[in-house]
């Protein structure tokens, strides 16, 4: 056997014994699979506090409404239960009575109760399902190592595609939607952020702009992913009007 033939044979043997390298796993598919394993059957109870501030208009004519309300939410085999303390309900009734006598009297507790939606609490106590829905319409832009609160984490940067109503799609001409999800060693979300910036036009002459910023912090509770904190900031401007809305929802897990 000549030298060149021997070299060729050795190269062929090396290729034959080298393990095959398959396609790299899809990070979004991996995350979807990890979230799908969280069936949310573990009972959970949490005390929640919702703070909000709405500002309509600008300058001296701006109208500001703010408040805070707390309660308890529990989810288990019997579904979702929301409990309000007697003091909270009595305060809301008292605010309604004062408002009836003086329409300018604020109602921070009563309006705070109206800010709390059952579906929002359910989604926070079972955040995996909501995340899976959003991820089904997302596109991966970047996958890299990062840090969260000084600890190593994996960061996925996503292009988001929010579900819009036909009317919204008709008037919205430009939309930027980017999300970030930080994953822990178990592949589950630790935190997430999203930013939406939309611009559009109505009836050719009325332009508008709206921006939404959201942030979440998560914790695993048994087979659940719970959103311990959700911050939401919104602003809009158009048709000679402007406004802002800020809210913060905090969940404190109870034994």
């Amino acid at each position: 056997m000549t030298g060149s033939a021997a070299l060729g044979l050795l190269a062929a043997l090396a290729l034959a014994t080298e393990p095959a390298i398959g396609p790299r796993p899809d990070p979004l598919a991996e995350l979807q699979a990890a979230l799908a394993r969280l069936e949310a059957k573990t009972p959970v109870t949490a005390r929640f506090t919702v703070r909000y501030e709405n500002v309509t208009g600008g300058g001296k004519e701006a109208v500001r409404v703010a408040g805070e309300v707390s309660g308890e939410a529990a989810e288990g085999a019997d579904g979702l239960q929301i409990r309000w303390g007697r003091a909270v309900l009595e305060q809301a009734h008292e605010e309604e009575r004062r408002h009836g006598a003086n329409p300018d009297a604020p109602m921070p507790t009563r309006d705070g109760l109206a800010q709390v939606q059952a579906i929002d609490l359910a989604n926070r106590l079972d955040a995996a399902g909501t995340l899976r829905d959003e991820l089904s319409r997302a596109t991966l832009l970047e996958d890299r190592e990062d840090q969260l609160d000084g600890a190593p984490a994996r960061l996925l940067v996503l292009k988001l595609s929010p579900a819009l109503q036909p009317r919204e799609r008709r008037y919205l001409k430009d939309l930027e939607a980017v999300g970030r999800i930080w994953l822990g060693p178990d592949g589950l979300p630790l935190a997430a952020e999203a930013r939406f910036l939309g611009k559009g036009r109505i009836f050719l002459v009325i332009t508008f702009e709206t921006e939404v910023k959201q942030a979440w912090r998560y914790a695993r509770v048994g087979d659940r992913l719970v959103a311990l904190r959700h911050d939401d900031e919104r602003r809009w401007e158009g048709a000679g009007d402007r406004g802002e809305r800020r809210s913060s929802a905090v969940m404190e897990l109870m034994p």
Side-chain angles (χ1 to χ4, degrees):
M1 180 181 294
T2 64
S4 59
L7 289 175
L9 179 59
L10 290 174
L13 289 173
L15 290 174
T17 57
E18 184 177 342
I21 300 177
R24 294 185 61 184
D26 178 2
L28 287 184
E30 288 183 322
L31 179 53
Q32 286 276 31
L35 293 172
R37 290 192 288 269
L38 300 179
E39 299 181 345
K41 294 182 178 179
T42 302
V44 63
T45 302
R47 179 172 178 80
F48 64 86
T49 299
V50 176
R51 300 179 180 89
Y52 69 94
E53 180 182 31
N54 298 335
V55 180
T56 304
K60 296 181 180 180
E61 297 181 354
V63 178
R64 178 180 177 273
V65 178
E68 175 181 323
V69 67
S70 297
E72 291 184 9
E75 189 173 58
D78 295 331
L80 176 68
Q81 298 180 0
I82 304 172
R83 295 188 288 269
W84 301 106
R86 180 174 297 275
V88 172
L89 298 177
E90 289 178 349
Q91 178 64 25
H93 289 317
E94 177 60 27
E95 291 173 359
E96 285 185 329
R97 285 191 290 269
R98 289 200 300 263
H99 185 77
N102 176 16
D104 293 329
M107 299 187 294
T109 303
R110 190 269 186 195
D111 291 342
L113 291 173
Q115 296 281 332
V116 178
Q117 302 293 323
I119 188 61
D120 292 336
L121 292 174
N123 288 340
R124 289 169 189 146
L125 293 174
D126 180 15
T130 303
L131 270 174
R132 291 187 66 194
D133 290 341
E134 294 296 334
L135 292 173
S136 68
R137 300 186 298 271
T139 303
L140 182 67
L141 298 177
E142 188 177 1
D143 176 10
R144 61 181 172 86
E145 297 301 316
D146 197 37
Q147 286 196 337
L148 181 69
D149 299 333
R154 183 182 180 185
L155 172 62
L156 303 183
V157 182
L158 312 172
K159 179 181 179 181
L160 303 177
S161 179
L164 300 175
Q165 298 296 324
R167 186 172 183 271
E168 295 172 324
R169 291 195 297 267
R170 184 164 65 250
Y171 294 133
L172 196 61
K173 306 304 180 184
D174 184 26
L175 175 64
E176 297 177 15
V178 178
R180 292 175 172 82
I181 300 181
W182 286 265
L183 306 179
D186 58 358
L188 292 174
L190 300 171
E193 294 179 354
R195 178 179 181 267
F196 305 90
L197 179 61
K199 299 179 182 180
R201 184 183 299 272
I202 303 175
F203 303 134
L204 299 179
V205 294
I206 302 176
T207 60
F208 67 88
E209 179 175 304
T210 181
E211 182 180 28
V212 178
K213 296 180 181 178
Q214 299 188 79
W216 298 263
R217 286 299 182 111
Y218 301 106
R220 181 173 182 175
V221 181
D223 64 348
R224 288 181 181 271
L225 186 69
V226 177
L228 295 180
R229 185 180 182 95
H230 177 211
D231 296 314
D232 188 303
E233 297 184 17
R234 299 168 186 256
R235 66 168 182 85
W236 62 91
E237 184 173 357
D241 196 12
R242 64 174 58 184
E244 298 179 4
R245 180 183 184 276
R246 290 181 288 272
S247 66
S248 175
V250 178
M251 290 276 192
E252 181 183 353
L253 297 173
M254 301 175 64

